[in-house]
Amino acid sequence: MGEILKMPTLVLETDKLLVYQQELGQWDNLNHLVVCKLTSHACIVDPFDGEYWYDFCTGQGIHITEIWLTHSHWDHVKGVQELVNVSGQKLIIRCHELEQQRGFEFDGITWWSHPKFTAVKQNFGGLEFTIHCTPGHTPGHVTIAGNGLLITGDCLFLGRCGRTDLYGGSKDQQRQSLLYLSDIISILDGESVVLPGHRYPLADGTNPTVLKLSDFVIANEALNSVGNDEDWNSLDFLAFDDNMAAKARRQEAQNSEDVL
Ligand SMILES: [Fe+2]
């Protein structure tokens, strides 16, 4: 613990909140810290490095009280135990219960339990957000909306969407989630900021970490293909021929054997 070398970027400030973003680790993970100005309480979404965020918050007089997980892939939960260890206080950790289908558990976790393609309200500090259950990348992926932000995790990156060929993923559910989110997005303020779980380049070669919603809906290849069968089925980022996909196939096969 100590001083941090690289300060996070303030990507949104309103009269109610501050949102900080930092890219951490070798996998281009984007972490987001949402701070309630009224209470100085903060929620960290998908922490990759627990000590980093603890040190930053301590220096700023901010108290992390909650950890929200968009999903349970290791690069999104790596910092949870670290943060619990360094903070020395009880933190509320939230994730959707369908992530248990991947075998994810965490001591003392609080599960969201609403059905797929529906939403619930969630408060922390003096702020209220909407938690949308948007499976496809994983069984219980959530997308967080409200107060001028849309945190999309690995459901939607700025230029495309998350892969669906990892263990527990589903191409059909991903498509249904994107159709569901298209309706949600259509009624959000175009000035809202979209904050994805990874920094991946757009089709035009630029590589931003934040986009305004009105620019995001133009730039996102997945959202622009989801309404057309041919376009959707031709997307080349839904599945990859790599070791992680092979591992997912082995896990699925093992599950089938266990059932027989
Ligand atoms: Fe992921």
Side-chain angles (χ1 to χ4, degrees):
M1 284 182 281
E3 247 179 82
I4 60 171
L5 296 175
K6 198 167 107 181
M7 295 289 275
T9 304
L10 182 64
V11 291
L12 178 66
E13 177 167 13
T14 71
D15 56 341
K16 291 183 179 174
L17 59 71
L18 303 164
V19 183
Y20 291 94
Q21 182 188 65
Q22 182 58 286
E23 186 173 342
L24 292 166
Q26 299 167 30
W27 296 270
D28 311 308
N29 280 82
L30 295 172
N31 287 194
H32 297 101
L33 180 82
V34 183
V35 183
C36 171
K37 281 185 172 178
L38 182 66
T39 61
S40 292
H41 288 178
C43 173
I44 180 72
V45 181
D46 294 351
F48 186 87
D49 184 333
E51 285 192 13
Y52 174 87
W53 287 110
Y54 178 79
D55 287 342
F56 172 70
C57 288
T58 301
Q60 301 287 315
I62 296 167
H63 306 289
I64 296 181
T65 56
E66 304 220 3
I67 302 173
W68 292 0
L69 303 173
T70 61
H71 66 298
S72 60
H73 280 157
W74 77 273
D75 56 326
H76 292 254
V77 307
K78 176 183 160 293
V80 176
Q81 187 64 56
E82 296 166 4
L83 198 46
V84 168
N85 291 347
V86 294
S87 72
Q89 64 174 57
K90 178 135 180 67
L91 300 173
I92 296 171
I93 304 163
R94 301 185 191 276
C95 184
H96 198 285
E97 66 177 10
L98 289 171
E99 289 298 277
Q100 292 173 98
Q101 290 180 10
R102 299 186 58 256
F104 179 66
E105 296 285 347
F106 197 88
D107 196 25
I109 197 166
T110 303
W111 300 108
W112 287 305
S113 58
H114 50 303
K116 299 169 186 176
F117 321 116
T118 69
V120 291
K121 300 292 185 188
Q122 180 66 61
N123 291 71
F124 90 88
L127 302 170
E128 180 181 86
F129 293 92
T130 307
I131 311 298
H132 299 277
C133 184
T134 52
H137 179 66
T138 60
H141 194 293
V142 299
T143 300
I144 301 163
N147 296 287
L149 62 79
L150 186 69
I151 296 179
T152 56
D154 288 2
C155 177
L156 279 166
F157 305 121
L158 295 181
R160 50 187 170 107
C161 70
R163 62 190 295 179
T164 61
D165 59 342
L166 300 177
Y167 183 57
S170 162
K171 183 178 173 182
D172 288 344
Q173 290 193 17
Q174 180 74 319
R175 189 176 185 189
Q176 210 173 328
S177 287
L178 268 49
L179 288 166
Y180 167 84
L181 283 175
S182 294
D183 288 343
I184 302 299
I185 286 168
S186 70
I187 55 172
L188 292 179
D189 182 350
E191 293 295 311
S192 302
V193 293
V194 183
L195 305 168
H198 291 267
R199 179 185 204 173
Y200 294 146
L202 306 184
D204 66 6
T206 60
N207 198 1
T209 61
V210 182
L211 277 183
K212 275 198 319 187
L213 189 74
S214 56
D215 295 328
F216 166 73
V217 295
I218 295 168
N220 194 281
E221 293 176 76
L223 278 180
N224 289 322
S225 302
V226 73
N228 179 288
D229 288 348
E230 195 179 335
D231 290 349
W232 174 255
N233 287 316
S234 68
L235 294 176
D236 62 1
F237 44 72
L238 296 175
F240 296 90
D241 182 17
D242 62 10
N243 288 339
M244 289 197 290
K247 184 181 174 194
R249 288 194 294 273
R250 287 197 299 275
Q251 285 174 294
E252 296 284 1
Q254 182 64 46
N255 279 357
S256 303
E257 278 178 29
D258 290 346
V259 169
L260 293 174

